[in-house]
Amino acid sequence: METTSTAAQPHRLNAIASFHAHIYFDDVTRSEAERLRQWIADRFVVTLGRWHDGLVGPHERPMYQVAFAVEVFPMLVPWLMLNHGRLSVLVHPNTTQPLADHTAHALWIGPPLGIRGDNLPEHSDAELPREPNTTPTIAA
Amino acid sequence: METTSTAAQPHRLNAIASFHAHIYFDDVTRSEAERLRQWIADRFVVTLGRWHDGLVGPHERPMYQVAFAVEVFPMLVPWLMLNHGRLSVLVHPNTTQPLADHTAHALWIGPPLGIRGDNLPEHSDAELPREPNTTPTIAA
């Protein structure tokens, strides 16, 4: 009887179709979140999502989303590391596994917050990059 | 009397001279850390640090360090997001602020662990990339 190798192999980078950053704020940090949003718009080619003062999706705090292409990751993520201030930021890939992407596959800048996984499917189509809505004029 | 604008400005990306990832493990996850180390060596141009079974520096769990150049960030960090398994990973920039780099400027993949900031100076020279000691042969 033949045997088949079942040694675990790592996920490939090309599983990632795009990224989202979620910028969380509260009453105390709201003005910092506004400033950060403008700084991002001035510096990066991204898709800025709506401002959510209420809770939406799996998120347990008010936030806005920044959707971006794989090519933007090496500028935006290090820049957020230096400039998030008191804000918590979730950065997650978009593969075909939304639940894992928001939990096991995610990174956090600033203190991690909860994610309500019961809102997220285990599998879906991967989200391709969206049409950017920023026109940056300042070098990051 | 002249006034000078004191509006806050964000840190610039060129403040970052290099990055470190710290891969943490314990008795339960040690073999996963060994496998991840080999996977990294096979795929990325980095400087793999010594294996530390004891506690060193500001770290509160056994770990090994992966030092890497700014240019490696867009491959290694997303790959670690997908492949860290049960391991916690700290990724921090090296600027001239070691204390901030390990705390406010850091990102975590997997559950965050403590950092003993009393071991870290507020200011120092920025650490430039080290000589790589890996010879990758597999595409990430």
Side-chain angles (χ1 to χ4, degrees), chain B residues 8-108:
Chain B
Q9 291 297 318
H11 293 284
R12 297 289 306 274
L13 268 181
N14 62 10
I16 301 176
S18 65
F19 287 96
H20 290 172
H22 296 275
I23 316 277
Y24 296 91
F25 60 91
D26 59 22
D27 290 347
V28 172
T29 58
R30 191 189 161 102
S31 65
E32 285 185 41
E34 289 170 348
R35 186 178 69 173
L36 190 69
R37 185 181 171 94
Q38 188 60 51
W39 281 352
I40 292 170
D42 289 341
R43 286 166 179 77
F44 299 99
V45 176
V46 298
T47 312
L48 282 173
R50 282 197 305 280
W51 191 272
H52 291 287
D53 282 304
L55 302 185
V56 293
H59 306 287
E60 297 188 345
R61 190 176 286 194
M63 63 93 210
Y64 57 87
Q65 175 185 280
V66 185
F68 56 100
V70 167
E71 292 73 21
V72 177
F73 187 94
M75 285 80 75
L76 180 58
V77 175
W79 186 90
L80 287 170
M81 293 167 79
L82 297 181
N83 292 303
H84 69 101
R86 294 181 295 175
L87 306 173
S88 288
V89 179
L90 168 71
V91 177
H92 69 80
N94 293 310
T95 72
T96 57
Q97 300 178 276
L99 178 57
D101 289 345
H102 286 75
T103 53
H105 296 168
L107 67 81
W108 285 91

Side-chain angles (χ1 to χ4, degrees), chain A:
Chain A
M1 189 170 154
E2 277 184 77
T3 57
T4 305
S5 169
T6 56
Q9 291 297 318
H11 294 284
R12 297 289 306 274
L13 268 181
N14 62 11
I16 301 176
S18 65
F19 288 95
H20 290 172
H22 295 275
I23 316 276
Y24 296 92
F25 59 91
D26 58 22
D27 289 346
V28 172
T29 57
R30 190 189 163 102
S31 64
E32 285 185 41
E34 290 171 348
R35 187 179 68 172
L36 190 69
R37 185 180 171 96
Q38 188 59 52
W39 281 353
I40 292 169
D42 288 341
R43 286 166 179 78
F44 299 99
V45 175
V46 298
T47 312
L48 283 172
R50 282 197 305 279
W51 191 272
H52 291 287
D53 282 304
L55 302 185
V56 292
H59 306 286
E60 297 188 345
R61 190 176 285 193
M63 64 91 210
Y64 57 88
Q65 175 185 279
V66 185
F68 56 99
V70 166
E71 293 73 21
V72 177
F73 187 94
M75 283 81 74
L76 180 58
V77 175
W79 186 90
L80 287 170
M81 294 167 79
L82 298 181
N83 293 304
H84 68 102
R86 295 181 294 176
L87 306 174
S88 288
V89 180
L90 168 71
V91 177
H92 69 81
N94 293 309
T95 73
T96 57
Q97 301 178 276
L99 177 58
D101 289 344
H102 286 75
T103 54
H105 295 168
L107 67 82
W108 285 91
I109 302 168
L113 306 173
I115 284 288
R116 298 200 309 138
D118 53 323
N119 280 353
L120 294 165
E122 287 195 26
H123 294 279
S124 75
D125 291 341
E127 181 179 307
L128 295 172
R130 302 181 188 176
E131 189 69 24
N133 61 7
T134 57
T135 309
T137 59
I138 300 176

Side-chain angles (χ1 to χ4, degrees), chain B residues 106-127:
Chain B
L107 67 81
W108 285 91
I109 302 168
L113 306 172
I115 285 287
R116 300 199 309 138
D118 52 324
N119 280 353
L120 294 166
E122 286 196 25
H123 293 281
S124 75
D125 291 341
E127 181 178 307

